């Protein structure tokens, strides 16, 4: 099992670079950031772009993997996103992981002036978005005409440092998304029950993940793929569980999900006076000692 962190893009870089470097020093496997234009309770506060933040982080670190968790079609187009990802993979010397998902109905959904898409429309778009992004990152020139997304002789030379392309971690819980994870993913991401993860009782939260893992295995089997090939990533912070209150709480939480088959846990870097207001000293102890306690 690996342990990673999410660092929100809320810090001016003079301060932010210290956090990304500290994440590397603490030994995290990866440091991700959210790819939004603004996000929930942080909407009226500082919020910077994901790709510039990750590019800066790539130049400030040497070993830690970097990535989005997650990017989506809400305000992205595969052609321009692919160009940015090829560039970021180059700057990071092949340390980029691309978390990608269908997107939600938050602020990003209408920031470009469009009406918010229905769940079915989001799924339809993602069904076209992800395969085209895959092609754009693996082919030197791509032409494709779709209902929502097209590319005409789109060039991505020299391509990704990582071959055949940067890894995709696909956030999905429904059948179409799980199929896309099986077809295109090197990893799968969940945060719990999409219908209302914070409302699921603590005792039932592992059962939700276990059921999702079962559906992922079924999707992989239907695609002729071994589910063991995919990393299984659990993003902390959207359930009633409180694994960052103490080292012991983390060890119990991590052990539960390791037994279920989760291979990477992602915990939020503490942000004072927010929903992520955890004790930094406890957080750093979890980072350095937590997984070792599992034995």
């Amino acid at each position: 099992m690996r342990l990673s962190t999410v660092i929100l893009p809320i810090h001016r870089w003079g301060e932010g670079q210290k956090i990304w470097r500290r994440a590397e020093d603490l030994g995290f496997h990866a440091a991700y950031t959210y790819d939004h234009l603004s996000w929930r309770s942080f909407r009226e506060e500082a919020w910077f772009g994901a790709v510039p933040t990750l590019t800066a982080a790539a130049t400030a670190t040497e070993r830690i993997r970097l990535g989005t968790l997650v990017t989506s079609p809400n305000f992205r187009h595969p052609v321009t996103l692919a160009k940015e990802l090829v560039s970021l993979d180059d700057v990071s010397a092949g340390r980029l992981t691309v978390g990608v998902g269908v997107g939600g109905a938050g602020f990003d959904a209408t920031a470009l002036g469009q009406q918010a898409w229905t769940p079915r429309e989001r799924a339809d778009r993602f069904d076209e978005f992800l395969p085209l992004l895959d092609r754009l990152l693996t082919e030197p020139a791509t032409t494709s005409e779709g209902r929502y997304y097209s590319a005409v002789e789109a060039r991505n030379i020299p391509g990704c440092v990582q071959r055949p392309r940067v890894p995709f971690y696909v956030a999905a819980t429904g059948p179409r998304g799980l199929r896309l994870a099986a077809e295109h993913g090197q990893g799968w991401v969940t945060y719990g029950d999409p219908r209302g993860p914070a409302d699921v009782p603590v005792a039932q939260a592992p059962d939700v993940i276990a059921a999702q893992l079962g559906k992922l295995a079924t999707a992989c089997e239907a695609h002729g793929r071994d589910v063991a090939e995919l990393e299984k990533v659990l993003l902390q912070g959207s359930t009633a569980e409180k694994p960052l209150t103490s080292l012991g709480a983390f060890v119990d939480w991590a052990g539960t999900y390791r037994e279920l088959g989760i291979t990477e846990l992602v915990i939020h870097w503490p942000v004072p006076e927010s929903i992520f207001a955890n004790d930094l000293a406890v957080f750093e102890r979890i980072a350095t000692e937590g997984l070792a306690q599992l034995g």
Side-chain angles (χ1 to χ4, degrees):
M1 175 175 273
R2 300 186 179 100
L3 182 61
S4 300
T5 187
V6 168
I7 301 172
L8 299 186
I10 59 176
H11 308 280
R12 291 194 179 274
W13 191 242
E15 182 64 25
Q17 62 183 313
K18 300 174 187 176
I19 297 175
W20 289 84
R21 287 173 179 152
R22 183 60 178 160
E24 181 168 79
D25 291 342
L26 288 171
F28 281 109
H29 167 67
Y32 302 98
T33 199
Y34 289 166
D35 187 18
H36 291 288
L37 299 176
S38 58
W39 190 73
R40 298 185 184 179
S41 59
F42 294 87
R43 188 181 190 186
E44 304 303 329
E45 301 179 28
W47 190 275
F48 295 97
V51 172
T53 296
L54 290 169
T55 303
T59 65
T61 59
E62 297 177 353
R63 303 176 304 278
I64 193 169
R65 289 196 66 83
L66 308 166
T68 57
L69 203 65
V70 297
T71 192
S72 79
N74 267 5
F75 62 95
R76 297 289 189 185
H77 189 286
V79 170
T80 51
L81 177 60
K83 182 64 70 175
E84 292 184 345
L85 296 178
V86 166
S87 304
L88 181 50
D89 195 44
D90 182 69
V91 173
S92 67
R95 290 184 285 138
L96 177 64
T97 298
V98 182
V100 60
V102 70
F107 309 128
D108 297 338
T110 55
L112 301 185
Q114 76 272 33
Q115 292 293 317
W117 303 322
T118 66
R120 180 171 181 175
E121 287 173 324
R122 291 199 300 270
D124 288 344
R125 287 175 177 270
F126 192 52
D127 213 358
E128 195 173 293
F129 181 96
L130 190 60
L132 179 54
L133 184 63
D134 193 335
R135 286 187 58 191
L136 287 159
L137 291 172
T138 53
E139 301 173 358
T142 302
T143 295
S144 176
E145 183 176 351
R147 179 181 178 186
Y148 302 108
Y149 305 105
S150 297
V152 180
E153 292 293 321
R155 298 295 200 274
N156 274 306
I157 301 171
C160 297
V161 172
Q162 300 173 85
R163 296 294 181 173
R165 57 157 169 75
V166 296
F168 288 167
Y169 281 11
V170 182
T173 55
R176 295 173 70 182
L178 291 169
R179 172 180 57 78
L180 289 170
E183 291 177 348
H184 300 280
Q186 285 64 57
W188 166 79
V189 181
T190 182
Y191 59 81
D193 192 327
R195 294 168 298 178
D199 298 326
V200 176
V202 170
Q204 296 178 17
D207 295 335
V208 172
I209 303 301
Q212 292 174 351
L213 285 164
K215 292 177 181 178
L216 176 66
T218 299
C220 286
E221 183 178 3
H223 190 63
R225 190 170 182 194
D226 185 352
V227 70
E229 296 176 7
L230 274 70
E231 298 293 335
K232 291 88 176 174
V233 183
L234 174 59
L235 173 62
Q236 168 269 334
S238 295
T239 72
E241 299 162 301
K242 302 294 182 184
L244 303 186
T245 55
S246 68
L247 179 60
F250 172 82
V251 171
D252 289 345
W253 178 75
T256 295
Y257 288 104
R258 184 175 71 170
E259 288 298 313
L260 290 180
I262 293 296
T263 62
E264 182 176 343
L265 297 171
V266 185
I267 58 178
H268 287 85
W269 195 277
V271 179
E273 300 180 2
S274 78
I275 59 174
F276 303 124
N278 293 293
D279 185 279
L280 183 59
V282 172
F283 177 85
E284 293 199 350
R285 191 178 178 201
I286 287 169
T288 55
E289 302 177 36
L291 293 187
Q293 296 279 338
L294 293 177

